[in-house]
């Protein structure tokens, strides 16, 4: 295989993707805020799963390329150089792009291992609080890497199951915490070690519940004051 083959196409593809703002480290997160919007409008500060996945694509992973290419300069930073057989770190979006074009082999993150994930799952089940996750985008990265590079990840099906078990355990804890928060009518709460996707999973429900509680209390206040005056 010619080492330089496809380099021009690769560079053109990177330029197009960078120009579109994809994968750049300087990309700003866009929030859609709404007040009393139509049904289905998102709660303030929440994000769609695709937006969280977009942020996860900027995480670095290691690949082993099968082509040669000099260092490339993008808005988000320099990448490369790429040499056949030599590992190099690239953003997830680029690793997926190269993998789809059969131009690299992906090396899974250290935490994407059956034994380590079993320990994480068991620890999460034992603790009442949320334990630290190996990556702030563990769920998104698992989905992306297993969907596009499962042939490079040993025991991919077991890894998928273990991550899903851990996710289900944490979401169950989060729902219990939210239920307790609403019932006790607390003004604020602090939860450590939550990921962006987990926060957004419960965010819409929690903000809507608090909004309804506020409206109920506001509607009851005039009646309460009138009863006290009559008495």
């Amino acid at each position: 295989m010619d080492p330089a083959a496809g380099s021009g196409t690769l560079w053109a593809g990177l330029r197009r993707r960078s120009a579109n703002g994809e994968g750049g480290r300087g990309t700003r997160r866009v929030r859609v805020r709404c007040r009393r919007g139509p049904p289905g409008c998102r709660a303030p500060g929440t994000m769609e799963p695709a937006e969280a996945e977009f942020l996860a694509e900027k995480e670095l992973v290691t690949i082993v390329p099968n082509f040669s290419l000099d260092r490339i300069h993008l808005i988000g930073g320099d990448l490369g150089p790429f040499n056949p057989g030599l590992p190099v770190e690239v953003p997830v979006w680029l690793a997926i792009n190269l993998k789809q074009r059969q131009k690299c082999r992906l090396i899974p993150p250290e935490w994407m291992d059956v034994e380590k994930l079993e320990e994480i799952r068991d620890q999460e089940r034992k603790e009442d609080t949320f334990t630290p996750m190996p990556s702030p985008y563990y769920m998104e990265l698992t989905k992306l890497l297993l969907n596009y590079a499962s042939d490079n990840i040993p025991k991919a099906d077991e890894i998928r199951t273990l991550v899903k078990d851990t996710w289900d355990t944490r979401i169950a804890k989060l729902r219990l915490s939210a239920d307790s928060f609403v019932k006790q009518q607390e003004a604020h709460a602090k939860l450590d070690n939550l990921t962006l996707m987990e926060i957004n999973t419960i965010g819409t429900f929690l903000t809507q519940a608090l909004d309804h509680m506020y409206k109920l209390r506001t509607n009851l206040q005039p009646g309460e004051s009138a009863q006290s005056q009559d008495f």
Side-chain angles (χ1 to χ4, degrees):
M1 176 179 179
D2 184 0
S7 297
T9 305
L10 172 64
W11 171 238
L14 293 178
R15 290 181 62 186
R16 286 196 299 271
R17 192 171 179 94
S18 179
N20 292 333
E22 300 180 31
R25 286 281 174 180
T27 303
R28 296 181 62 186
R29 182 174 68 184
V30 178
R31 289 184 176 181
V32 179
R33 296 181 178 272
C34 57
R35 291 180 180 273
R36 298 181 182 179
C41 188
R42 290 182 294 176
T46 60
M47 301 175 67
E48 294 289 342
E51 293 175 300
E53 188 173 290
F54 175 81
L55 296 178
E57 288 184 352
K58 296 189 290 183
E59 293 293 292
L60 296 177
V61 293
T62 303
I63 64 169
V64 179
N66 56 21
F67 63 93
S68 295
L69 184 66
D70 293 334
R71 184 181 296 273
I72 55 179
H73 308 282
L74 303 179
I75 294 175
D78 297 344
L79 297 176
F82 301 87
N83 296 295
L86 295 182
V88 60
E89 282 193 336
V90 297
V92 170
W93 64 263
L94 178 56
I96 292 174
N97 180 278
L98 294 174
K99 177 64 179 175
Q100 288 178 314
R101 297 159 64 182
Q102 300 181 359
K103 290 187 174 296
C104 77
R105 175 173 59 86
L106 187 139
I107 299 178
E110 292 184 1
W111 58 266
M112 201 168 283
D113 173 78
V114 170
E115 292 184 1
K116 292 181 179 180
L117 289 174
E118 284 178 344
E119 293 179 2
I120 293 172
R121 180 201 59 187
D122 295 342
Q123 185 68 21
E124 190 67 44
R125 288 176 173 177
K126 291 178 182 177
E127 299 290 338
D128 293 331
T129 57
F130 296 92
T131 60
M133 288 291 97
S135 167
Y137 300 103
Y138 75 97
M139 192 64 180
E140 298 93 314
L141 290 177
T142 299
K143 176 184 175 182
L144 288 169
L145 298 185
L146 292 184
N147 283 350
Y148 294 101
S150 60
D151 57 321
N152 293 154
I153 302 175
K155 301 181 180 180
D157 290 338
E158 293 183 48
I159 288 175
R160 192 191 305 271
T161 300
L162 288 169
V163 171
K164 182 63 166 57
D165 290 345
T166 303
W167 168 268
D168 290 342
T169 301
R170 292 172 65 85
I171 292 301
K173 287 184 183 180
L174 193 54
R175 288 173 178 168
L176 288 175
S177 299
D179 182 64
S180 175
F181 178 81
V182 172
K183 287 182 178 179
Q184 296 178 17
Q185 300 184 13
E186 298 290 348
H188 66 277
K190 179 180 178 181
L191 294 174
D192 296 326
N193 301 320
L194 288 178
T195 66
L196 180 61
M197 184 70 80
E198 291 165 350
I199 293 173
N200 282 279
T201 298
I202 200 69
T204 302
F205 162 76
L206 187 57
T207 52
Q208 290 179 352
L210 294 175
D211 185 49
H212 287 309
M213 288 180 60
Y214 173 77
K215 290 179 180 179
L216 288 173
R217 287 197 296 266
T218 303
N219 292 334
L220 288 175
Q221 283 178 358
E224 293 175 349
S225 60
Q227 290 178 2
S228 60
Q229 290 176 357
D230 293 339
F231 179 78

